[in-house]
Amino acid sequence: MTAIKYNSDFIFLYDATLCNPNGDPDQENKPRMDYDTSTNLVTDTRVKRFIRDYLKDQGHEIFVDMEGDSKVSSDSKLDFVVQRILSDSAERASIFKESPELLKEFEAIIAEKKDKDSILKLLQHAKNSKLNYYILSQLVKNRFVDIRMFGSAFAVKEFTKAYTGAIQMNWGYSLNQVELVESSSIVTIMNDDSSTFGKDYRVYYSLLAFNGTINKYAAKTTGLTEDDLKLFRKAIWESIPSQPTRSKMNQYPKFYLEIVYNEGFNNGYFGDLRNAIKVECKEGVVTKQVRSLRDLVIDVSGLEMLLKEKVGEGKPIKEVIINKSIDFPELKIN
């Protein structure tokens, strides 16, 4: 499979009702907020975690994960993966199919050092950096879809390598002003039937918007393919509601729009797509009363004007991909 051939920009909206979209550990785990504007914030890392967990549930091997029941650093994870390669000759043959010469080097190290710890230490020596980089590159391109999508940085002993993800997104922010719910509730039931009370912070309603890019040049390094991209579109739409927890229930996708550019056009051609959507309270509803999408007026005419008559050969846009919930406004761009 070859890497993607076109750049894309996308916008993604989902809403959150009576839940905590992204707790801030520095603020008693309150929902992240810009208090000057009453805007709810969610990090890109939170959304990527949803996607990674979804991919794992769907049977895909991901790199930013756990080994057994323990969280591990990226460097430790790499060690675990290399150890599996050491234990499986068929796996080694697959990893090194593009470079039989490096396979010989790798087999020589295995023959020289019998125990895995010694092999790993020798691999991490500066003189074997080319071998390390090759192994890492093959693992990224052939095994770990989350790195092909989002990238990762590695710093293992004598060598470092950073993969810039082909898919990037900003922190999300709410398009409506958000009110917080504060209540004291039982958060832990002890074995002796005693209870621990704690603050349970939530939002009444938040319509969150993210702006993102998909870059063909970064994809050449990570190996992001068209199949990976189709998987990303499916995952970003399905992942958030598919993993409900006590604080993350009642979150649902509302709108995904991706602009696929023609050859010669780069990311950011239309700027931050969130600026083209306007959100206001319906007549008779004030900010503090907003409890659902039905209480808001969503104006997508700015997006329509942005995209109208810009699709086709010789124009900026090759294709527009849209997914929306039944209660989100229709978008007319033809």
Side-chain angles (χ1 to χ4, degrees), residues 209-260:
F210 296 79
N211 187 65
T213 64
I214 304 166
N215 184 264
K216 67 179 183 180
Y217 304 109
K220 290 179 181 178
T221 303
T222 67
L224 185 80
T225 67
E226 286 295 337
D227 283 346
D228 293 334
L229 194 46
K230 290 176 183 177
L231 181 60
F232 167 75
R233 292 171 187 143
K234 178 179 172 66
I236 197 172
W237 190 260
E238 296 183 2
S239 61
I240 295 173
S242 72
Q243 300 165 59
T245 64
R246 182 176 178 275
S247 67
K248 296 291 184 288
M249 287 185 68
N250 300 326
Q251 298 187 109
Y252 300 100
K254 292 298 173 184
F255 183 64
Y256 177 86
L257 179 142
E258 181 183 330
I259 297 169
V260 183

Side-chain angles (χ1 to χ4, degrees), residues 20 22-25 27-32 35 180 182 201:
N20 186 345
N22 189 196
D24 186 346
Q27 295 288 329
E28 299 179 294
N29 208 43
K30 290 181 182 179
R32 293 181 186 273
Y35 290 102
L180 296 185
E182 181 180 330
Y201 298 98

Side-chain angles (χ1 to χ4, degrees), residues 130-278:
K130 182 179 179 181
L131 183 56
N132 265 304
Y133 292 145
Y134 177 83
I135 293 173
L136 188 56
S137 173
Q138 292 302 305
L139 289 173
V140 168
K141 291 180 178 180
N142 298 309
R143 178 174 291 179
F144 299 115
V145 65
D146 59 326
I147 299 183
R148 294 200 299 275
M149 289 179 180
F150 307 129
S152 187
F154 303 88
V156 183
K157 304 302 180 185
E158 299 296 331
F159 78 100
T160 60
K161 180 72 174 177
Y163 285 92
T164 299
I167 301 174
Q168 300 289 340
M169 66 181 78
N170 303 111
W171 278 32
Y173 57 76
S174 61
L175 298 179
N176 63 302
Q177 290 186 316
V178 171
E179 294 287 319
L180 296 185
V181 185
E182 181 180 330
S183 66
S184 295
S185 64
I186 300 173
V187 295
T188 305
I189 306 297
M190 311 301 289
N191 290 332
D192 61 359
D193 292 330
S194 63
S195 302
T196 299
F197 286 80
K199 292 291 186 181
D200 186 11
Y201 298 98
R202 298 177 181 236
V203 299
Y204 277 112
Y205 182 78
S206 178
L207 180 61
L208 292 151
F210 296 79
N211 187 65
T213 64
I214 304 166
N215 184 264
K216 67 179 183 180
Y217 304 109
K220 290 179 181 178
T221 303
T222 67
L224 185 80
T225 67
E226 286 295 337
D227 283 346
D228 293 334
L229 194 46
K230 290 176 183 177
L231 181 60
F232 167 75
R233 292 171 187 143
K234 178 179 172 66
I236 197 172
W237 190 260
E238 296 183 2
S239 61
I240 295 173
S242 72
Q243 300 165 59
T245 64
R246 182 176 178 275
S247 67
K248 296 291 184 288
M249 287 185 68
N250 300 326
Q251 298 187 109
Y252 300 100
K254 292 298 173 184
F255 183 64
Y256 177 86
L257 179 142
E258 181 183 330
I259 297 169
V260 183
Y261 292 108
N262 276 312
E263 184 68 36
F265 291 88
N266 293 314
N267 297 112
Y269 185 86
F270 295 105
D272 190 325
L273 297 174
R274 291 173 292 190
N275 295 330
I277 296 180
K278 292 182 179 179

Side-chain angles (χ1 to χ4, degrees), residues 67-81:
E67 283 292 330
D69 296 323
S70 303
K71 291 183 178 179
V72 295
S73 67
S74 60
D75 307 334
S76 298
K77 174 73 175 186
L78 186 58
D79 279 355
F80 281 117
V81 172

